[in-house]
Amino acid sequence: MQTAPLSDAAKQKLNAVLSRYPNAMAACLPALHLARAEYGHLGDDVVKLVADHLALPVAHVHGVVTFYTMFRREPSGQNVLRVCTNISCMLRGGYEILGAVERELGIKPGQTTPDGCFTLIEEECLAACANAPMMICGARYFLDLVPEKMPELLAELRQTPQTELV
Amino acid sequence: MPDPGDLVTLEVDGHAITARAGQTIWEAARDAGIQVPVLCHDERLRPVGVCRLCVVDIGGRTLAAACVRPVEAGMKVATASPLVVKQRAVLLRLLLADHPTPCTRERTTGDCALEAEARAAGLLGVADSDSLPRGPVRALDASSPVIAVDLSSCILCDRCVRGCNELQSNDVLTRSGKGYGTTITFDLGLPMGSSSCVSCGECAAVCPTGALTHKPLGAPLRPRAELTAVDTTCPYCGVGCALTVQVDRAENRIVYIDGRKNGHNEARLCVKGRYGFDYTTHPQRLTRPLIRRDTHYPKGGLSADVRGAGAGERGRGRGRRAGGHVDYAEVMPAFREATWDEALDLVATRLGAIRTTHGPNALAGFGSAKCSNEEAYLFQKLVRTAFGTNNVDHCTRLCHASSVAALMETIGSGAVTNVFHDIKRADFALLVGTNTTVNHPVAATFFKEAVRAGTRLAVIDVRRPGIADHAWKFLRQRPGADVALLGGMIHVILEERLYNEPFVRERTVGLDALAAAAAPMTPELAEKISGVPADEIRAVARAFASARAAMIFWGMGVSQHSHGTDNARALIALCLLCGHIGRPGTGLHPLRGQNNVQGASDAGLIPMLFPDYQSVTDPVVRARFEAAWGFALDPVPGLTVVEIMQAALEHRVRGMYMMGENPFLSDPNINKVRKALSALDFLVVQDIFLTETAEFADVILPATSFFEKTGTFTNTDRRVQLGHAALAPPGEARLDWEIICDVATRMGAPMHYDGPEAIFNELRSLAPSLAGLDYTSLEGAGRLWPGDQEILFGDDFPSGKGRLVPTSFAPARELPDAEFPIVLVTGRLLEHWHTGSMTRRSRALDALEPEAFVELHPNDGTHLGIAEGDFVLARSRRGEIVLRARLSTATSEGSCFIPFHFREAAANLLTIDALDPVGKIPEFKFCAVALSRA
């Protein structure tokens, strides 16, 4: 499927971003954020589009996109659950939280529920160790999680999805 | 910043050493004879310090990476203290845990750097590295015909990424992912073979492990220590890359090729130079002299493609074979094997008889820009003495004859005025009609590098070349509009008084005439003719004129027109007007095509010039050559390539000697060439394969390939380099220079030489430009003529003042019309060379580009009902071919592009044999054709 070209509004924003940086490579990350806002995820077509617009090698943009786990390369659910399993969270039961979400939703990390409501991602440290175990969904931090309460929390998110920030 | 001239004293492993300020510890130690182990660094690459194997103890809080840490005065460095050794061992153990020991590199060329370091550290085969946890084995990628990818061996040292992005500036490779899952990937994570990789092999050349390795081509890969290294140059383009051939002497085969670090190419190579060598041991090599059987007269083509068999016989349309080189079963029955004596006697007798009966001018010879300077020199000497005519020419006529004519006329020297490397000192470069990344790939890597360092490129072409991706501006002009477009630029520079007034006053003549010719060519008129917006013309003209130092590079897009000389004159005028010549970063550089087209021209394979561009009409010059050669010489300039074919058609030329040229595919209007070749009373072809042209021969002499000969070759820079024979010739094949000597001697012009050095010395004695070049001094990077000067004409020109020659726009000879509405532009591909006799017999190159195609714009495709991959019938007033369609926006609407390498769909069946009146170059870049679905 061919990706639609960037909207005029997005192009304007992109050019504004470009003008703030010394070169196109420096503007790569903000450009990708804009592209994500426009298309929701950064598939190969979008990566090519950004590379073309910035006149950067497509391989370079691909490298950046794959380095940052918060860029999604496939379409994701309305809620992207980012569950931390790094050391603090692991010690405080991060894997139990992850397991609870997997059981409740029937998906593994990297997958999206068939109804398109949730995407589950296992994250490295999200910088909230004092409240481990934790996860992020959209702009919200969910702290001091306990496995038993996860079904309730997921039901709430199903009602009021937390989309990812631009 | 320390001054690089400053010296620093430090201590390494207890030895006091002196290093240059700014050097790294690793470099300083190496210069002092202490080799610090390293995996991620190579002297050609920017150091990044990622492998950490080179850490040394400098008494700091942590160990320091020697490959990136600069030396400091008084520094105390321990490169092998117990701490350093322990740390290194830990690193090696971790790397070995995932390494498939022995890896592909160790099993083939035996030089896996990781395994070598591990062996040195006593860690190979030690049980504990096996006890570490291992990651999953990563998949192999065999999709590239030339490079094997095994990411299990990858240590993420980034050498390949830097080789691809910084040395070759191809930007195909990157690191992707994060943490343990990080890998190197191609483009968007594609298999190598489907990515934009151009197969230059730099990644495999710099990779320290088995992650990226060359695939074997014709011989199993083996360690360098078991092979013989022979220094020579590349047999393909005019860049003339220096390379080292790794030869298996027992098998008489090339195993692989390395770029040479002491060459001007800095060890860089392209796909042809690195992987296009196995043609030399192809089973179709000629090994015995051949004489045409009586049953095969009257003469004509033998194979279906060369006979010009009807479309029905060739199986037009779907199901047509993919093509390839000639089927010997089709052509060999026409010939019988002969001894050298019989064949040479026949050649001498028949050519001699034609000379006696019809006069010397009934004979002609085509030499070759693929042969050495010595062979070119002897060949023209043979034609001028034994034949007694100046009818000697070669394929320079088909590539830069117009450029040379214009350069001779304006500045009095036909060669480049500065070397291509000089672009790094230019702040602006104008590239016109050169598809540099395809036709001069290694020069293009230096152009791209210059762009990264700040040089601005403006690219002018009818078809978007790859180098345009690196350009500040790409101006797409209509085919044939060059003179108008360049005239528009000259108009702007004159009107806005942007030219270099002191330079024009002191160094040039002809400003008034130039100004008068340029006055009507306003940018608006130039826009109307060329299709390039007037403001773009102004912008590029201003940028060129106001640059501190600017260079002009051009290629066949400029020269191969019926107005090719005018195109070159306009470029030269631009350059002279702005004074962009004779200083660092300024000059005129027509990128020469063949590996020795500069040298073949220098050596006199030109009908109007003796060696070193000395006119045959000048009585003083002629007297000197007559004295040296002991023969009376013809004072009348001879015929050029296309004129010779015309003369053959009219029986004015009756006997021909072709050394390594294949005009049946390389000359325009092949249907006419077929008649001309058939009409010859006698044709002797000296070549390594039975070429299309050889099908018309009476005698075929088996010659030696590039890798079997020793001699000198002159690249586009005027750089004379020495190449050494790497292989023994197959069967009874003989050295070209020896064959020439035998023919000449049999024809009454005795030639006896001890070898290439003696021949080169004779050439040198008659060519003042080459005088200073001692044969043995041509090893390594070679030497430039004249006098090793990179930049010429700082004070004056050989012609005194530079001439500004006015030009006025004239349309191409055959314009599109209702019946033939599309403009055909011919050209070349990265993977192939000229008539394909070498590259289509190179397994890797043939696999990469196996098939003829016509490239057209998608909108034209829609309009004509032609889809990607369809078979297309391409017709012109002169012939027709059937080939596949490729749709691409690189070609502009209303025109199409066909490469001329493919015998089964020869582009030159379509081209027109209209000539430039001065350079006598054919108009390969413009004729009218019609395209339809076949």
Side-chain angles (χ1 to χ4, degrees):
Chain A
M1 196 186 72
Q2 199 64 37
T3 303
L6 276 176
S7 69
D8 287 346
K11 264 188 207 162
Q12 253 174 27
K13 280 189 205 163
L14 190 51
N15 290 336
V17 163
L18 268 170
S19 69
R20 293 204 301 271
Y21 290 87
N23 57 50
M25 203 169 267
C28 189
L29 272 178
L32 287 168
H33 284 299
L34 277 171
R36 192 187 63 168
E38 184 91 354
Y39 299 103
H41 69 283
L42 302 175
D44 287 353
D45 282 350
V46 181
V47 170
K48 274 191 212 160
L49 207 94
V50 171
D52 278 356
H53 203 88
L54 299 187
L56 286 174
V58 75
H60 175 82
V61 181
H62 174 78
V64 172
V65 169
T66 56
F67 182 82
Y68 291 103
T69 51
M70 288 188 178
F71 286 132
R72 300 281 305 147
R73 299 181 64 210
E74 296 90 31
S76 34
Q78 288 164 289
N79 294 289
V80 179
L81 307 172
R82 299 179 178 277
V83 181
C84 177
T85 58
N86 206 304
I87 292 182
S88 301
C89 285
M90 181 188 77
L91 293 172
R92 303 262 301 157
Y95 279 108
E96 282 75 21
I97 299 299
L98 186 69
V101 177
E102 286 177 4
R103 273 193 309 279
E104 181 65 19
L105 299 179
I107 56 172
K108 293 280 176 196
Q111 295 178 340
T112 299
T113 52
D115 62 2
C117 208
F118 294 99
T119 296
L120 176 59
I121 294 172
E122 184 182 357
E123 283 284 0
E124 299 301 337
C125 186
L126 294 166
C129 303
N131 300 93
M134 57 76 66
M135 73 172 188
I136 294 178
C137 181
R140 279 183 63 189
Y141 278 60
F142 296 89
L143 308 170
D144 301 307
L145 297 173
V146 283
E148 297 76 30
K149 294 211 172 153
M150 290 314 288
E152 193 184 322
L153 178 55
L154 294 173
E156 183 196 322
L157 286 171
R158 199 181 288 278
Q159 292 305 314
T160 48
Q162 303 290 311
T163 51
E164 292 222 312
L165 265 193
V166 174
Chain B
M1 282 291 288
D3 184 335
D6 291 351
L7 294 179
V8 173
T9 305
L10 67 159
E11 199 181 295
V12 178
D13 294 344
H15 308 284
I17 68 167
T18 305
R20 291 193 309 281
Q23 264 192 317
T24 63
I25 297 172
W26 186 85
E27 289 168 328
R30 177 202 56 196
D31 292 350
I34 299 166
Q35 202 61 46
V36 178
V38 72
L39 293 173
C40 70
H41 186 54
D42 178 280
E43 58 191 347
R44 291 193 299 142
L45 298 171
R46 176 179 54 90
V48 290
V50 296
C51 80
R52 315 310 288 178
L53 202 67
C54 70
V55 287
V56 292
D57 196 338
I58 57 169
R61 190 171 56 85
T62 59
L63 301 182
C67 76
V68 288
R69 177 66 70 93
V71 292
E72 290 166 31
M75 203 178 228
K76 283 190 167 52
V77 180
T79 71
S81 68
L83 180 64
V84 168
V85 169
K86 185 178 160 208
Q87 175 136 343
R88 225 172 254 155
V90 170
L91 268 173
L92 287 169
R93 283 179 53 210
L94 290 169
L95 288 172
L96 283 173
D98 274 347
H99 185 79
T101 309
C103 68
T104 314
R105 183 171 297 271
E106 191 64 20
R107 281 184 281 112
T108 55
T109 47
D111 56 348
C112 171
L114 172 59
E115 291 180 43
E117 293 300 345
R119 197 177 297 115
L123 293 170
L124 264 200
V126 175
D128 80 339
S129 63
D130 295 332
S131 68
L132 287 169
R134 277 171 175 265
V137 172
R138 299 182 183 199
L140 301 175
D141 174 3
S143 59
S144 159
V146 290
I147 296 165
V149 186
D150 177 5
L151 294 182
S152 292
S153 302
C154 177
I155 57 168
L156 291 172
C157 67
D158 268 5
R159 278 211 218 180
C160 58
V161 175
R162 281 171 286 155
C164 184
N165 300 354
E166 295 174 20
L167 293 182
Q168 295 269 349
S169 304
N170 285 331
D171 300 321
V172 180
L173 267 165
T174 193
R175 253 177 194 250
S176 62
K178 185 179 209 165
Y180 189 74
T182 308
T183 57
I184 54 154
T185 53
F186 304 90
D187 290 340
L188 287 160
L190 297 172
M192 190 179 205
S194 356
S195 73
S196 62
C197 168
V198 293
S199 309
C200 70
E202 193 71 62
C203 57
V206 293
C207 177
T209 70
L212 293 158
T213 50
H214 304 313
K215 286 185 174 176
L217 290 169
L221 299 174
R222 289 168 52 194
R224 285 177 182 75
E226 298 171 19
L227 303 170
T228 308
V230 181
D231 283 356
T232 185
T233 62
C234 176
Y236 291 106
C237 85
V239 176
C241 292
L243 43 86
T244 299
V245 186
Q246 304 291 347
V247 187
D248 183 330
R249 286 275 197 226
E251 295 289 323
N252 196 37
R253 280 184 181 267
I254 296 173
V255 183
Y256 46 90
I257 283 180
D258 295 319
R260 231 189 314 135
K261 288 183 183 171
N262 67 353
H264 70 297
N265 52 311
E266 298 172 11
R268 299 176 195 180
L269 293 176
C270 77
V271 62
K272 290 191 290 288
R274 199 184 301 276
Y275 299 117
F277 55 81
D278 50 323
Y279 73 90
T280 188
T281 41
H282 192 276
Q284 286 193 330
R285 277 294 298 275
L286 298 174
T287 57
R288 302 273 312 265
L290 299 172
I291 292 177
R292 197 179 196 94
R293 293 181 194 274
D294 295 339
T295 47
H296 284 75
Y297 286 89
K299 288 188 289 182
L302 300 168
S303 62
D305 285 317
V306 173
R307 278 202 314 273
E313 187 187 338
R314 280 184 292 140
R316 179 199 288 180
R318 287 180 198 286
R320 185 176 155 73
R321 69 189 158 76
H325 40 73
V326 64
D327 180 0
Y328 269 11
E330 238 184 335
V331 294
M332 274 302 177
F335 297 93
R336 65 174 174 85
E337 292 186 344
T339 64
W340 271 102
D341 274 334
E342 184 190 4
L344 289 170
D345 284 342
L346 185 61
V347 170
T349 313
R350 293 290 304 276
L351 291 177
I354 292 171
R355 183 187 56 194
T356 308
T357 315
H358 301 283
N361 288 330
L363 295 178
F366 286 176
S368 171
K370 276 268 163 282
C371 291
S372 68
N373 287 324
E374 296 72 34
E375 291 158 348
Y377 170 75
L378 287 192
F379 191 82
Q380 60 87 37
K381 185 176 171 184
L382 164 85
V383 173
R384 293 191 154 114
T385 59
F387 292 9
T389 173
N390 285 316
N391 290 340
V392 59
D393 205 357
H394 73 294
C395 56
T396 191
R397 194 62 49 203
L398 310 177
C399 67
H400 265 307
S402 46
S403 309
V404 172
L407 285 164
M408 293 294 285
E409 170 190 48
T410 51
I411 62 174
S413 166
V416 299
T417 71
N418 62 339
V419 299
F420 70 78
H421 269 281
D422 211 23
I423 192 171
K424 64 173 176 268
R425 290 185 284 245
D427 52 350
F428 189 91
L430 184 62
L431 274 56
V432 190
T434 160
N435 191 354
T436 329
T437 52
V438 162
N439 295 322
H440 301 87
V442 174
T445 69
F446 291 98
F447 292 7
K448 293 184 275 188
E449 194 174 309
V451 169
R452 273 209 311 280
T455 305
R456 278 207 292 186
L457 299 188
V459 173
I460 299 177
D461 215 313
V462 298
R463 177 171 174 254
R464 187 184 169 93
I467 195 75
D469 292 348
H470 302 262
W472 164 64
K473 279 195 186 295
F474 167 56
L475 308 188
R476 187 200 287 277
Q477 58 149 336
R478 294 195 186 108
D482 315 63
V483 170
L485 175 59
L486 300 172
M489 289 174 62
I490 291 171
H491 178 100
V492 171
I493 289 168
L494 289 170
E495 184 186 62
E496 301 184 7
R497 298 192 76 81
L498 300 172
Y499 59 97
N500 183 334
E501 294 200 45
F503 186 92
V504 168
R505 191 171 56 244
E506 288 156 29
R507 300 280 308 273
T508 72
V509 292
L511 179 64
D512 293 344
L514 184 77
M521 193 53 74
T522 60
E524 282 68 28
L525 178 57
E527 171 178 343
K528 216 172 140 195
I529 298 171
S530 70
V532 178
D535 284 346
E536 295 284 89
I537 298 173
R538 286 198 176 89
V540 172
R542 287 170 189 155
F544 176 78
S546 57
R548 180 186 48 77
M551 278 186 81
I552 300 181
F553 291 93
W554 73 93
M556 252 108 280
V558 165
S559 59
Q560 288 178 337
H561 286 280
S562 58
H563 48 86
T565 305
D566 275 348
N567 290 351
R569 284 168 173 155
L571 285 173
I572 297 164
L574 265 180
C575 188
L576 292 178
L577 263 185
C578 301
H580 286 317
I581 193 162
R583 291 178 286 122
T586 67
L588 293 160
H589 196 117
L591 285 152
R592 304 309 304 263
Q594 295 268 13
N595 62 324
N596 197 38
V597 68
Q598 182 64 52
S601 304
D602 299 344
L605 279 184
I606 302 183
M608 45 296 243
L609 299 169
F610 290 129
D612 204 13
Y613 308 94
Q614 303 175 76
S615 174
V616 300
T617 58
D618 182 331
V620 178
V621 166
R622 207 167 50 248
R624 191 160 65 243
F625 280 92
E626 286 177 337
W629 292 344
F631 275 83
L633 300 175
D634 187 351
V636 182
L639 300 175
T640 59
V641 166
V642 181
E643 291 171 328
I644 288 171
M645 282 296 145
Q646 180 67 34
L649 204 54
E650 297 163 10
H651 297 290
R652 286 183 285 123
V653 164
R654 290 169 174 270
M656 280 200 73
Y657 189 163
M658 303 230 190
M659 174 175 78
E661 289 247 315
N662 191 11
F664 186 84
L665 287 184
S666 63
D667 280 15
N669 193 358
I670 287 176
N671 279 322
K672 191 166 157 187
V673 175
R674 180 186 300 112
K675 288 183 201 146
L677 290 173
S678 307
L680 287 169
D681 290 349
F682 186 77
L683 171 65
V684 50
V685 171
Q686 178 172 320
D687 216 312
I688 60 174
F689 297 110
L690 205 157
T691 60
E692 291 68 30
T693 303
E695 292 186 26
F696 298 85
D698 296 86
V699 176
I700 302 173
L701 304 175
T704 33
S705 78
F706 179 89
F707 291 109
E708 291 148 12
K709 53 178 73 164
T710 293
T712 65
F713 299 84
T714 308
N715 86 340
T716 187
D717 286 337
R718 304 172 262 107
R719 186 181 303 278
V720 189
Q721 304 184 90
L722 188 51
H724 294 281
L727 298 173
E732 295 178 17
R734 294 183 64 196
L735 292 166
D736 293 78
W737 72 263
E738 290 180 355
I739 305 173
I740 300 167
C741 287
D742 280 1
V743 172
T745 304
R746 278 176 164 77
M747 289 185 73
M751 287 190 194
H752 302 284
Y753 296 92
D754 289 339
E757 182 171 357
I759 305 167
F760 184 75
N761 285 338
E762 180 176 312
L763 164 63
R764 216 152 57 98
S765 70
L766 293 163
S769 299
L770 301 175
L773 305 182
D774 184 62
Y775 187 79
T776 50
S777 75
L778 304 175
E779 303 273 9
R783 294 181 66 201
L784 300 164
W785 70 254
D788 237 1
Q789 298 176 71
E790 288 198 343
I791 300 161
L792 301 179
F793 317 135
D795 298 319
D796 58 12
F797 297 108
S799 59
K801 293 203 174 190
R803 278 185 62 195
L804 299 165
V805 179
T807 52
S808 53
F809 171 74
R813 214 58 66 82
E814 182 185 65
L815 296 175
D817 56 18
E819 196 188 351
F820 298 100
I822 292 173
V823 176
L824 166 65
V825 178
T826 67
R828 293 181 280 153
L829 302 177
L830 169 65
E831 293 81 1
H832 283 296
W833 190 259
H834 282 212
T835 67
S837 56
M838 294 155 69
T839 52
R840 300 196 79 195
R841 290 180 176 91
S842 296
R843 192 194 305 183
L845 302 177
D846 185 50
L848 286 163
E849 279 291 0
E851 203 180 9
F853 64 88
V854 52
E855 182 185 276
L856 68 161
H857 193 279
N859 292 352
D860 285 338
T862 306
H863 175 65
L864 296 165
I866 296 169
E868 174 84 18
D870 279 353
F871 277 107
V872 171
L873 172 67
R875 293 184 300 121
S876 79
R877 287 187 175 81
R878 293 153 295 278
E880 60 176 57
I881 53 176
V882 174
L883 68 181
R884 293 251 193 209
R886 283 191 195 171
L887 303 181
S888 165
T889 52
T891 292
S892 52
E893 284 183 64
S895 69
C896 67
F897 168 80
I898 303 181
F900 72 92
H901 313 293
F902 299 92
R903 66 190 301 279
E904 66 277 21
N908 282 322
L909 277 164
L910 308 177
T911 51
I912 186 168
D913 48 342
L915 299 186
D916 174 90
V918 183
K920 303 289 170 75
I921 192 169
E923 187 147 58
F924 288 117
K925 297 295 190 206
F926 200 119
C927 74
V929 297
L931 302 177
S932 57
R933 259 188 78 172

